[in-house]
Amino acid sequence: MTSVRPARHPVDEIPPTGRLAALGLQHVLAMYAGAVAVPLIVGGAMKLSPTDLAYLINADLLLCGIATVLQCVGLWRFGVRLPIMQGCTFAAVTPMVLIGTEGGGLPAIYGSVIVSGLAMMLLAPVFGRLLRFFPPLVTGTVILVIGLSLLPVAGNWAAGGQGAPDFGEPKNIGLAAGVLVLVIAVQRFGPGFLGRVAVLVGIVAGTAIAVPLGFTDFSGVGGAHWVGVSTPFHFGTPTFEAAAVVSMLIVALVTMVETTGDFIAVGELTDRPVDGRRLADGLRADGAATVLGGVFNTFPYTAFAQNVGLVGMTRVRSRWVVAAAGGLLMVLGLAPKLGAVVAAIPAPVLGGAGLVMFGTVAASGLRTLAGVDFRDNHNLTVVAVSVGVGLLPVGVPGIYREFPDWFQTVMNSGISAGCVTAIVLNLLFNHLPGGRPPATGPAAAADSAPVVAADAPVLEGGGAQHAVEQTGEQRV
């Protein structure tokens, strides 16, 4: 009698080498602009030389790759083992600029980064035990806010990139629209695998069209070195200033909340729900990557929401694809000339592709909320207020400019503002005495999701349940 070998989960499947490389490159191109933005902003604010700026970017790409591989592949209790891209968190930009310009320079930044990374590692098990406070009501709202918060980023790219002299000119919008149409066409009409790499096709084709039209400049490639290695403490021995450490600890808490939302989103997109232990392992890997960032001259790391949308759009759930992307980032970090080639991709090209990817994230949040019971309870209020608060800093940049720095750190990010609001309101209405707890049981599931595939799994969180429809066309 022969035993039947259980089917491997799509998250653990390893595609053929050619597809693995193409799909991994697609993830790199989708997040590259965001990955290099943080060192450019911080280094520019500190008026670093072009040589030092290039060093920061190379170090960042190298550590992005290492952090991604650790998160996807895992090592002991480090790594969520899901398709998660890692990059520098934007939540740390303002505190790091203040520390760098007024509070001790790069050594003080790196000292506070190391301390915050250690704190994240210690707090990871605590966050793992808080998973019950992230039911579908909260996770769906957070995923929706993530997608909506990222759309202005795609819009800025489509217009030519924030600060570009030709920002908003019709030629930029036209190029972005062309890429958007191409991505949609390839996804709809392209055969099999080609549809999976629609974003890659759009970016490559858009760049090829942009070169003769004068949208991009590859002159910087010639001056870049072939090999560049980041060495520990290149900018000096870290210093530990109390104010800097406190501000970065606040950033660490915000980052952990944002990352929790991203992990849960990817867990739902890949049909591998995140439990408390998996969440703790992922946050622990974030902390370890942040400590390495402080040692190797870069910044705090978190899950990149940009790539969450790519996972949902392509329906490629393999963590090894994103691990391959991490390997490519490491190569780019060690080969500045290759990184200069990728950096020359025009912003409108990224904008056209970003509209599809970020919109997919928002749509995934709506799909999760479709399984929530909104009858005879306050769940609609939770969603409405959380989305409103989350989009305030997105729609009105600088709205919290006059508030204390710690408040700005939390609320200037639409993702963290929406996430914190959703958690607090869910506790207020559904957990504290006098509130109506989230609906549970077969009746609630039937009421909230009347049309569900027979084999659809039920995801649990905080006592709430919701069914995810998994037809062949909608599976992500």
Side-chain angles (χ1 to χ4, degrees), residues 254-277:
V254 172
T255 299
M256 294 177 79
V257 172
E258 290 186 3
T259 301
T260 298
D262 289 328
F263 285 169
I264 293 173
V266 173
E268 294 195 7
L269 288 170
T270 58
D271 296 330
R272 177 170 278 180
V274 174
D275 57 19
R277 172 166 176 160

Side-chain angles (χ1 to χ4, degrees), residues 52 76 208 325:
D52 285 340
W76 188 55

